[in-house]
Amino acid sequence: MRGTRAYIFQDNLRHNLGEIKKHLRPGTKICLAVKADAYGHNAVAVAKIAQEFGADFLAVATVDEGIELRERGVSAGIILLSLCTPQEMPLLFEHRITPLVFSQDYIKCLSDCADSYFGGTSARHEVHLAVDTGMGRLGCLCDEAAHQAEMISSSPHLALGGMMTHFALSDGISSEAQDFTRNQYDDFVRAVQSVRSAGISPGICSCANSAALLAHPEMHFDMVRPGIIAYGYYPDEVTRDYLAALGIQIDLRPVLSFESEVLAIRRFPAGKSASYGRTWTAPRETDIAVLPVGYADGLLRRFSPGVEVTINGRNYPVVGRICMDQCMVDIGRDNPDVRLWDRAVIFGPKESGALHTADDLAVLGGTISYEVLTSISKRVGRYLI
């Protein structure tokens, strides 16, 4: 086992899924986002736990992500949140992946491909109609929704299985952010009603991501689409304290720990520098622990200076620039609490011994926990515990 690894705390994932369920009306479906390898947590493992827990759908970003789940025995519905190429479209039908559609050209291309795939059969493949209410990424305009739904319904081998939109500011707490979110919701409601008025069932409607799921229960519709909260982190400004002030109690537990190991301890005299650019020199005689983890693993270069690792319950600073494959940690001279082969925890749940979370690293890097988690590379093994 390589010295740098990630552990997935399965009980914490199950706990978070249970916390999410507590906030839903009976019968509300769950579509769990497992794109980007389940935010770095191992998509197959997460998908199987979510499926056992009753998740109706899983959301992926690429066709390959969906195929991996199918080939590993996942039977829950899979929704593709991004567009695919015409060459990939037959794979949607083969692996029972539900695509988003919204433009006339895309719907026609998918319909033609479905005609070729299903031939003279009566089979219909479900799609979800994306509506752009303010994200500005994918989706038809609200006034176009009924027409697009009619196109889908008139296709011999496509069927409208649902409608969705995506919020751009639901994780903000300012009055401007709240107003924008509510306007997006109202526009989506209008789009859904226009489809119904055209005599077409809109299917499963969804718009609530993690932030809206917690802060706006009136926006749950038929299905919610949690992401970051399943992995133990609050969505940006919608923090535990903010929710508590609204009378909303939810206890989230980080699911992943990112760890390395002390592989060398070196004596540094005062004035000796460490790493590229000589950005740090020892102000005194000290010992430096070398860890086999760097920015190619997900410990991003911009985290230093400032990032610390936890070894046997104490924090120690990473010094000098983080390298591609290694970093150096100042442990102080003749420290009896740090020995060769000791675990060095970068972040994780308290059960891992970590004193930091992905949120703490996000603050250092001027980013969000999502990026910290998904930056952990494939060469870091994931182990279920």
Side-chain angles (χ1 to χ4, degrees):
M1 182 188 294
R2 183 177 172 234
T4 298
R5 50 202 175 263
Y7 290 103
I8 310 302
F9 288 71
Q10 300 177 75
D11 287 345
N12 285 8
L13 175 61
R14 293 188 178 96
H15 168 84
N16 294 339
L17 292 172
E19 288 290 288
I20 291 169
K21 271 198 167 182
K22 290 178 185 177
H23 290 77
L24 304 181
R25 297 186 307 272
T28 303
K29 298 181 185 298
I30 294 176
C31 175
L32 178 63
V34 296
K35 59 182 181 171
D37 201 27
Y39 292 32
H41 289 68
N42 187 315
V44 172
V46 169
K48 288 184 175 180
I49 291 172
Q51 184 174 270
E52 292 168 4
F53 210 84
D56 303 275
F57 289 91
L58 303 160
V60 299
T62 70
V63 175
D64 285 345
E65 288 178 345
I67 292 173
E68 180 186 25
L69 297 183
R70 288 289 185 241
E71 290 182 341
R72 297 290 294 276
V74 174
S75 59
I78 296 176
I79 297 177
L80 178 67
L81 295 180
S82 302
L83 302 182
C84 65
T85 66
Q87 292 75 22
E88 293 175 298
M89 287 178 178
L91 297 172
L92 300 174
F93 312 132
E94 179 182 350
H95 296 281
R96 296 177 290 111
I97 299 170
T98 302
L100 293 189
V101 301
F102 70 91
S103 73
Q104 294 185 39
D105 290 343
Y106 195 81
I107 293 170
K108 185 180 185 307
C109 183
L110 185 65
S111 178
D112 290 345
C113 187
D115 291 348
S116 298
Y117 185 87
F118 292 111
T121 72
S122 60
R124 284 181 174 265
H125 191 81
E126 287 194 346
V127 303
H128 280 215
L129 178 62
V131 182
D132 180 12
T133 58
M135 184 67 181
R137 191 169 59 185
L138 298 179
C140 66
L141 299 179
C142 295
D143 293 340
E144 299 171 337
H147 176 66
Q148 310 295 39
E150 288 170 351
M151 280 192 66
I152 295 166
S153 298
S154 64
S155 170
H157 296 293
L158 298 182
L160 182 61
M163 294 178 62
M164 66 170 61
T165 195
H166 193 57
F167 292 138
L169 273 175
S170 60
D171 55 1
I173 62 175
S174 68
S175 58
E176 176 188 0
Q178 295 297 304
D179 289 345
F180 193 85
T181 299
R182 193 160 297 283
N183 288 337
Q184 281 197 262
Y185 174 75
D186 290 343
D187 285 345
F188 183 58
V189 170
R190 182 163 56 86
V192 171
Q193 289 174 340
S194 73
V195 171
R196 286 200 177 103
S197 296
I200 302 169
S201 170
I204 301 168
C205 297
S206 66
C207 60
N209 54 10
S210 287
L213 186 160
L214 297 177
H216 297 285
E218 74 279 8
M219 299 182 184
H220 286 179
F221 253 113
D222 307 311
M223 181 170 71
V224 294
R225 306 195 307 267
I228 195 68
I229 58 175
Y231 305 110
Y233 291 92
Y234 294 85
D236 203 6
E237 295 178 3
V238 180
T239 63
R240 180 197 296 264
D241 291 342
Y242 172 77
L243 292 168
L246 296 178
I248 300 169
Q249 302 295 328
I250 183 167
D251 172 46
L252 300 178
R253 301 175 185 175
V255 174
L256 179 147
S257 71
F258 187 23
E259 306 182 8
S260 194
E261 192 169 311
V262 176
L263 293 191
I265 297 177
R266 305 189 59 214
R267 177 60 50 86
F268 264 49
K272 180 176 174 60
S273 62
S275 197
Y276 296 109
R278 302 187 70 239
T279 60
W280 180 88
T281 57
R284 65 195 183 290
E285 187 175 21
T286 191
D287 292 338
I288 296 294
V290 181
L291 311 182
V293 59
Y295 58 77
D297 300 295
L299 186 63
L300 304 181
R301 195 171 186 261
R302 64 179 180 268
F303 291 154
S304 184
V307 67
E308 298 175 326
V309 300
T310 305
I311 305 173
N312 295 321
R314 288 182 57 191
N315 283 335
Y316 298 95
V318 172
V319 294
R321 287 179 177 160
I322 295 168
C323 306
M324 184 182 293
D325 314 299
Q326 300 173 84
C327 69
M328 286 69 81
V329 178
D330 185 357
I331 59 173
R333 183 176 175 181
D334 297 327
N335 186 342
D337 296 325
V338 180
R339 299 169 299 277
L340 283 178
W341 329 129
D342 279 350
R343 291 169 61 243
V345 187
I346 300 161
F347 67 82
K350 61 183 180 181
E351 298 95 321
S352 69
L355 297 177
H356 299 293
T357 67
D359 276 336
D360 297 320
L361 266 69
V363 171
L364 280 176
T367 184
I368 54 177
S369 59
Y370 308 67
E371 185 180 22
V372 173
L373 293 167
T374 58
S375 293
I376 300 175
S377 69
K378 284 286 190 181
R379 78 178 187 182
V380 177
R382 271 69 164 179
Y383 302 92
L384 303 180
I385 61 174

